[in-house]
Amino acid sequence: MSPTVLEDRFRILVEHGLDAVALLQPDGRVSYVSPAISGILGYSVEEFLDLDAFELVHPDERDDAKRCFEELLTQPGTSQTTANRVQHKNGSWRCIETHSTNKLSIPSIASIIASFRDITDRRRAEEKLLDADRRRDEFLATLAHELRNPLAAISNASM
């Protein structure tokens, strides 16, 4: 298979995927982002390339995101997965899961490759399940306490 055919196949996969793919330079500048950025964060490719991606990370998580990126820079070939709140173009906060790999040592890539997806709905569903579990546990604890009290009263009366 010719390199052109392979390149065309990979380009189609990247440009039509639901997950976004970005190439980041060591200074954090985004040199490429796939069109999926529009569906995930509402920005066009051109708009996103003009932004400092770290400035979109929630202020409470920005320092950690930068620290993780800096750690990745020092470890060629390694990968990491992170999740951060990132500001959508409309101002809302979305939870974004990112898998990044340091490919700076490969001359034809010379970037950190980051693929990311919006996991906001998944996180909300997880929070609802956790909340339901907490309410169930509280109900069972209350029920157990109420069942023990009458039994204790009966056993004390029979003595």
Side-chain angles (χ1 to χ4, degrees):
M1 196 172 309
S2 75
T4 305
V5 171
L6 286 174
E7 184 178 330
D8 288 346
R9 284 185 177 182
F10 283 112
R11 182 173 301 284
I12 286 170
L13 289 171
V14 168
E15 291 185 354
H16 295 282
L18 294 176
D19 291 355
V21 177
L23 298 178
L24 291 91
Q25 300 310 301
D27 62 1
R29 184 178 47 84
V30 179
S31 60
Y32 170 84
V33 67
S34 65
I37 191 66
S38 297
I40 295 171
L41 291 175
Y43 294 97
S44 69
V45 169
E46 296 77 19
E47 289 172 320
F48 194 78
L49 290 176
D50 287 339
L51 298 172
D52 176 349
F54 287 107
E55 290 300 314
L56 296 177
V57 176
H58 193 281
D60 293 346
E61 300 170 2
R62 192 172 298 142
D63 288 342
D64 284 340
K66 286 180 179 180
R67 184 181 40 72
C68 286
F69 183 76
E70 288 168 7
E71 284 176 16
L72 189 61
L73 288 174
T74 66
Q75 302 170 7
T78 61
S79 299
Q80 63 179 230
T81 301
T82 58
N84 295 99
R85 290 173 288 173
V86 177
Q87 194 164 32
H88 189 281
K89 184 177 178 179
N90 68 15
S92 67
W93 292 101
R94 309 299 294 172
C95 187
I96 303 297
E97 181 179 69
T98 306
H99 183 77
S100 304
T101 304
N102 181 335
K103 294 296 182 181
L104 291 165
S105 63
I106 299 174
S108 61
I109 299 173
S111 301
I112 301 291
I113 300 172
S115 61
F116 53 99
R117 67 176 54 119
D118 184 343
I119 60 167
T120 306
D121 293 338
R122 183 176 86 191
R123 283 282 170 96
R124 286 181 183 150
E126 289 170 354
E127 288 170 8
K128 284 182 182 180
L129 285 173
L130 288 172
D131 188 48
D133 284 348
R134 275 191 294 270
R135 285 183 281 138
R136 182 201 64 225
D137 291 347
E138 289 170 5
F139 171 77
L140 291 174
T142 301
L143 183 61
H145 178 72
E146 289 174 0
L147 289 174
R148 274 192 300 256
N149 281 344
L151 294 175
I154 293 169
S155 65
N156 286 339
S158 63
M159 291 185 162

